[in-house]
Amino acid sequence: MKGFTLVEILAVLAVAAVVALAAVVAVRPDPVGRAQSEAQRLAALFELAHAEAGASGRAMAWIPQHDGYAFVRAGADGGWEALDADGPFRARSLPAGLKLRGSRFVLSARGLHAPAQAVISGSGATFMVRSGSLGQTSVQRLHAD
């Protein structure tokens, strides 16, 4: 008699199920991590924009939009101009499921600006990004949704 016993087949199926579960958990994105990553990216961009405004002598502004945000720079004509589409200050869209709240703020060419904040929420977490008047930024988790 050749073949496998029922116990052997069940053991192989159990091992396959554990491997499949591990693969699904490893591949599935962490929703809280996604919100935190976006908040940390925004904080880094706030700091970079602060430094850029001071170094270039031209004010910059951060503009929250419906599904993301953008940065603009003061133009020679007194208006605002969009920045390079492939540079660090390109317009960005947030991943699906994340929401952004905040108000436009201007980073002066002298390096000072009114304190500003933005809130990124979704996927069970809320993070606040704060930018102080001297350009220092912080990310704080507020609470679980």
Side-chain angles (χ1 to χ4, degrees), residues 122-143:
S123 305
T126 300
F127 293 90
M128 179 178 287
V129 180
R130 290 186 177 156
S131 180
S133 59
L134 297 175
Q136 71 280 15
T137 62
S138 64
V139 175
Q140 176 185 8
R141 183 171 182 175
L142 297 179
H143 56 78

